[in-house]
Amino acid sequence: MIKFFRKIRQNLLNEGKTSKYFKYAIGEIFLVVIGILIALQINNWNQDVQNGFERKELLSKLHIEFESNKKVVTNFRVVEERAINSSMKLMSLIGASEEELLNHNLDSLLFQSFPSNELAFADNAVNGVVQNGRLNLFENDSITSLLYHWNSLSEIRKIRFEKLDSWNNEHFLPFLLTHISFKEMDSNANYKWAGTSKVKPSYYPLFQKVEFENLLDNALWLHQQIIERLDETDLLIEEVLHATKS
C-alpha cells in the first residue's frame, strides 16, 4: 500500500502536476491522522472495557470482604460489651460488705473485664486496591473516599486498643497482683495451669480501695472509646456495602 501511494506521488511529480501533488500529500496526511485517531479510540475503548471488568471484580471482592468485616465487628462488640458490663458490676460492688461480695463470682467478673479478643479485619481487597494504585478505577465513585476513611479509622482504632492495653498491663494488672488470685481468675478460661489457689487472699480489702474504683473507671472510659470507634466502623461498613452492591 505504501509503494502504491509513493508511485502516485512520483507520477504526479513527473507529470509536473505540483499543485495536485500537494493536495494529494495533504489528503494523505489527513488519512494518516484519521487512522491514528481511530486506532487510539479503539485502544481507549478496549482499555475502558478492561477497566470496567477489573472494577466490577474489585467491587465484588470488596463487598465480600466487608460482609466478613461486619461479622467481625459484631463478634468483637459482644466481648467488648461483656467487659464493660463486668467492669460496671465490679464498680457497683466498691464499698460492699464482705457478705455481699460472697454472693458474686468475682473471679469471673474480673476475668471478663480483661478481654483478650483482637479486631482482625479481612483486608486483602482493600490493600490490593490501595497499594496497587487501582483507586483510579473509582475516580468518580464514592468508594474512593470510603476506602481512605476506612484506612484512617483503622489507625484511630489501633491507637484506642493500644491505650487500653497499656492501661491494663502497666497500671491495672500490676495493682491487682497482691489483691487477687490470677490462677483462680484464669480458671474461667479453663487454662491448664489454672485452678484453686491455696494462697488466695480475701477480696474484701480490694473493694474498699478508691484506687481500684479509679482504675475501673478509667478502664471503662477507654472501653467506651473503643465502642464509639466500633459504631463508626459499623456505619462505614454499611456505606461500603451499599457502594459496592452489584
Side-chain angles (χ1 to χ4, degrees):
M1 182 63 71
I2 295 175
K3 290 182 178 180
F4 175 74
F5 285 125
R6 285 178 179 175
K7 186 176 181 180
I8 293 175
R9 285 184 291 176
Q10 189 64 43
N11 289 337
L12 290 172
L13 287 172
N14 292 337
E15 295 174 4
K17 299 177 180 179
T18 306
S19 61
K20 288 186 178 181
Y21 170 79
F22 282 118
K23 290 179 181 179
Y24 176 81
I26 293 172
E28 186 178 336
I29 293 172
F30 178 76
L31 289 175
V32 171
V33 171
I34 292 297
I36 293 174
L37 291 175
I38 292 174
L40 288 174
Q41 186 65 31
I42 293 174
N43 183 67
N44 290 338
W45 181 81
N46 287 334
Q47 188 62 49
D48 288 342
V49 172
Q50 183 178 346
N51 288 343
F53 283 127
E54 185 178 359
R55 180 179 183 277
K56 185 177 181 180
E57 182 181 5
L58 289 175
L59 286 174
S60 177
K61 290 180 178 179
L62 286 169
H63 192 83
I64 293 172
E65 192 164 275
F66 277 87
E67 284 281 11
S68 174
N69 289 339
K70 183 178 180 179
K71 296 177 182 178
V72 171
V73 172
T74 299
N75 294 334
F76 186 89
R77 186 187 294 274
V78 170
V79 179
E80 190 65 20
E81 290 181 345
R82 185 186 301 144
I84 290 175
N85 292 334
S86 296
S87 296
M88 290 178 64
K89 184 60 181 178
L90 289 170
M91 182 177 281
S92 71
L93 293 173
I94 299 293
S97 65
E98 190 167 7
E99 182 180 5
E100 183 179 358
L101 291 176
L102 291 174
N103 293 325
H104 301 277
N105 188 338
L106 300 178
D107 287 314
S108 176
L109 290 173
L110 286 164
F111 180 82
Q112 292 178 358
S113 69
F114 295 103
S116 59
N117 60 325
E118 295 181 359
L119 194 60
F121 285 121
D123 57 6
N124 288 336
V126 174
N127 290 338
V129 171
V130 176
Q131 295 178 5
N132 295 331
R134 304 312 288 159
L135 280 172
N136 61 304
L137 293 173
F138 312 103
E139 185 175 357
N140 299 318
D141 205 317
S142 62
I143 190 66
T144 302
S145 59
L146 290 175
L147 292 182
Y148 276 126
H149 188 189
W150 176 260
N151 284 341
S152 62
L153 186 56
S154 296
E155 290 300 315
I156 295 174
R157 284 195 307 267
K158 180 182 178 182
I159 292 172
R160 292 290 183 264
F161 295 146
E162 288 176 349
K163 284 186 175 182
L164 178 59
D165 283 342
S166 175
W167 177 255
N168 286 337
N169 292 321
E170 296 177 14
H171 301 282
F172 208 161
L173 290 173
F175 167 78
L176 292 174
L177 278 174
T178 58
H179 294 88
I180 70 170
S181 167
F182 281 29
K183 183 179 181 181
E184 292 208 6
M185 181 179 69
D186 287 343
S187 65
N188 290 274
N190 295 317
Y191 293 137
K192 292 181 179 180
W193 63 84
T196 303
S197 171
K198 296 180 180 179
V199 291
K200 179 180 179 178
S202 169
Y203 286 5
Y204 175 73
L206 172 65
F207 283 84
Q208 311 308 311
K209 292 182 177 292
V210 69
E211 186 177 357
F212 183 41
E213 182 179 68
N214 290 336
L215 288 165
L216 282 169
D217 183 87
N218 197 61
L220 280 166
W221 185 84
L222 292 169
H223 278 296
Q224 181 59 35
Q225 294 298 307
I226 290 176
I227 288 292
E228 290 176 5
R229 300 295 80 75
L230 287 181
D231 291 340
E232 291 180 31
T233 302
D234 253 337
L235 290 174
L236 184 54
I237 287 176
E238 289 298 330
E239 291 185 66
V240 174
L241 290 175
H242 178 74
T244 57
K245 185 169 59 176
S246 59

